[in-house]
Amino acid sequence: MFANSRTVASAQPGPHDKLAELVARHRDATFRKPLAAYSAAAFDKAIAVWRSVGSPPLIIDAGCGVGESTLHLATQFPDHFVIGIDQSESRIVRGKDWWGDVWPENFVWVRADLVDFWRQLLAADIRPARHYILYPNPWPKIGQLARRWQGHAVFPAIVALGGVLECRSNWDVYVEEFALAVEWLSGVKPAVEVWNPETPVTPFERKYLASGHALHRCVATLPGASPTGQ
């Protein structure tokens, strides 16, 4: 039953016709949502751990789920420090007996609201060297645009953080929209491509590949990150 994931079904054949209007509105507005107390504490914890090891270049693994992608990224970039963030504590603390490689030490997992964490990074002027948003919920209904990250009020903050920003999805429209919103906000045109990973780095990536889905990604090298990621 592993390779049984359905492809994304949507009545939307291409980028949403309201995307540009929504991105511009969020760009020009101030996002005033109060921070959740648990997010503020999680941010302080993660940044304290990062600083305790000398503040190496920072990688953000946004929506890390069970944390497999965090472990892969920490292994792939041993001279960086990875913060894996997910809103579900149960996913983060779940057993990791599926990880058969050497356990990296250059990472931390925290439970936080991503919307809060991104804004706290920007407010603290902490800029990631690399930033991953891997297989977010596509919210494929036409009326769900504002729930996709590129249509969310926090998206200007995501782009403003800078660094190498990468998004992957099994829905090509999501990646196309993401790339357009990044370009409108930054002036940088992301590279968009069909993605064929040699080694899947998340459970979703593995399941989608096994189910025969086409995978897509966009990568943008944005201004704003310092050489040390801070």
Side-chain angles (χ1 to χ4, degrees):
M1 297 294 290
F2 172 69
N4 63 350
S5 180
R6 296 180 181 178
T7 56
V8 177
S10 177
Q12 187 183 316
H16 201 291
D17 59 4
K18 299 294 184 183
L19 179 64
E21 176 186 339
L22 192 58
V23 170
R25 185 191 314 161
H26 293 326
R27 179 199 61 207
D28 297 336
T30 301
F31 190 13
R32 301 186 184 279
K33 175 180 174 288
L35 298 176
Y38 79 93
S39 292
F43 178 82
D44 290 343
K45 170 190 171 183
I47 298 306
V49 175
W50 170 60
R51 286 178 171 153
S52 74
V53 295
S55 304
L58 186 62
I59 296 175
I60 298 299
D61 183 16
C64 66
V66 298
E68 182 178 351
S69 50
T70 307
L71 294 172
H72 279 289
L73 290 168
T75 301
Q76 182 181 355
F77 298 99
D79 58 341
H80 289 56
F81 188 84
V82 186
I83 300 178
I85 308 149
D86 201 89
Q87 196 166 19
S88 170
E89 185 172 9
S90 66
R91 284 196 289 262
I92 292 173
V93 303
R94 195 174 301 167
K96 314 296 181 189
D97 54 356
W98 38 259
W99 182 257
D101 296 331
V102 176
W103 197 265
E105 298 180 354
N106 56 323
F107 77 94
V108 66
W109 287 308
V110 291
R111 174 184 176 252
D113 184 329
L114 276 169
V115 172
D116 292 346
F117 206 96
W118 280 320
R119 291 187 295 151
Q120 288 174 97
L121 283 170
L122 191 60
D125 198 27
I126 296 174
R127 310 303 178 101
R130 308 187 72 89
H131 193 166
Y132 293 85
I133 302 176
L134 304 179
Y135 304 98
N137 189 325
W139 297 108
K141 293 182 180 179
I142 292 175
Q144 294 176 328
L145 173 62
R147 295 193 174 195
R148 304 171 201 159
W149 287 130
Q150 57 270 18
H152 196 284
V154 80
F155 199 72
I158 296 173
V159 175
L161 285 171
V164 178
L165 176 61
E166 178 169 340
C167 176
R168 300 180 196 173
S169 177
N170 65 329
W171 187 28
D172 58 342
V173 171
Y174 194 101
V175 167
E176 290 173 25
E177 287 186 347
F178 194 99
L180 284 171
V182 167
E183 184 175 2
W184 293 333
L185 290 169
S186 69
V188 174
K189 186 176 181 63
V192 177
E193 64 180 354
V194 174
W195 176 237
N196 295 302
E198 293 183 7
T199 303
V201 299
T202 82
F204 282 122
E205 191 163 71
R206 185 177 300 106
K207 186 171 184 177
Y208 293 154
L209 282 172
S211 301
H213 295 197
L215 304 183
H216 308 268
R217 75 166 181 168
C218 69
V219 183
T221 301
L222 302 172
S226 70
T228 59
Q230 60 177 321

